[in-house]
Amino acid sequence: MSSECWKCGDTAVIHRKYEGKSWCSEHFQEQFESLVKDTVRENDLFENDDRVCVALSGGMDSSALLLFLVELFEDWKNAELIALTVDEGIENYRDESIEIAKELCDDLGVELHIASFKEEFGKSLDEIMEDKDYGCTYCGVLRRWILNKKSRELDADKVATAHNLDDELQSVFMNYLKGDMKRMVRLGAKPAVIDDEKFVPRVKPFRETPEKEIALYGRLRDLELHQTECPYVEDSLRFDVRDFLNEMERKRPSTKFTALRAFDKLLPVLEEKFSEEDPSIRSCEECGEITSGDVCKACQFRKEI
Ligand SMILES: [Zn+2]
Ligand SMILES: [Zn+2]
C-alpha cells in the first residue's frame, strides 16, 4: 500500500483499495466532492430554484451533507437550504446530537427547525418504549411522517437525506432477502415514490459514497462527531447484511460499487414491473397525510400509543 498521494506525493490520509490509489487530505476532499457532484448531476437531484430541506440528525453523515450542500449552493443563486431535525425524545442520545445540529447550523448560517415526537404524537420515544418495545420500524414510520409533514409546511420542494452507499446497498439486499419488491423500487437517488402534491420528494446525494469516506471527510472538515448509538437500535437483519457486504468488500474490493451499479441497471425494469400507479392513494382520514388505506400507518400507531 502506498502512503503517498497519487496526485501530489504528499502523505496520504486514505488508500482506496477499490481503485488502488492513495490520496492526501486535499486531493481526497476534491475527489469526494466531485463524486457527490456527479451523483447530483447525473440524477438531476436539484433544480436551480429549489428550496431544499436537509434532514439533519446531528450525526456525521447528515452534518457532512449539510456542509456539502451549503458549499454547492453557493453557486446556485436561487436555491435555498433549510435544515430539519426530528427530536424523537431519546435521553442522552438525541439531546447531544441536537446541540451539534444547532451549532452547525449557526456556523453555516442555515435556518434550523426542530420537530418532536412529543409535540406531534403526545409522547417521546422514551415514553412510547416504556409501554412496549415497538422497535425501529415504528420509529421509522413516525419519523418519515414528521419529515414529510414538516418539510411540506416549510415549503420545501425536496428533502435531502444522508443515505450513503452502504445504507442503500443494505436496503437492496434486505428487500431482496425479504422478497419485498415494492419496497425495492422505492430505492434510488431520487425515488419516484408517490406523485402527489402532499408528498415531498426525497433525494440522496451521498448514495454512491461509502460511509467510511463520509466519516473521513467529516473529520477532515472538523465536523463534530456524535458517536453514541441509539439505545433502541435492533435491526439485526441490517447488521447481518452490513457485515456480509463489508466482508465481501474486504475480500473483493469494489464489490459494493459493482453491486450498486448492477441494481441501478435493474431498477428501471423493476419499476416497470412493480411500481403500480396506486389508485388507492388518498388522504388519511385522521391527519390528512397521504396513505394507501383509510388511515395512515402513523395514525394507526398513534392510536395504539
Ligand atoms: Zn495530494
Ligand atoms: Zn394519518
Side-chain angles (χ1 to χ4, degrees), residues 5-10 23-28:
C5 175
W6 183 78
K7 206 163 174 180
C8 72
D10 274 1
W23 301 95
C24 70
S25 173
E26 185 195 332
H27 289 121
F28 163 70

Side-chain angles (χ1 to χ4, degrees), residues 207-223:
R207 183 179 179 264
E208 288 155 58
T209 313
E211 190 168 69
K212 269 189 191 162
E213 296 194 13
I214 300 173
L216 175 61
Y217 180 78
R219 272 205 308 280
L220 296 171
R221 297 295 311 267
D222 291 324
L223 291 175

Side-chain angles (χ1 to χ4, degrees), residues 58-68 100 104 107-108 206 214-226:
M60 188 54 100
D61 290 1
S62 61
S63 296
L65 179 63
L66 185 66
L67 176 63
F68 171 83
I100 294 178
L104 182 66
D107 285 352
L108 297 173
F206 281 169
I214 300 173
L216 175 61
Y217 180 78
R219 272 205 308 280
L220 296 171
R221 297 295 311 267
D222 291 324
L223 291 175
E224 205 170 329
L225 185 59
H226 170 63

Side-chain angles (χ1 to χ4, degrees), residues 145 284-289 295-299 302:
W145 183 92
C284 168
E285 285 173 5
E286 306 276 328
C287 70
E289 289 291 306
V295 176
C296 78
K297 265 194 195 158
C299 286
R302 193 183 350 217

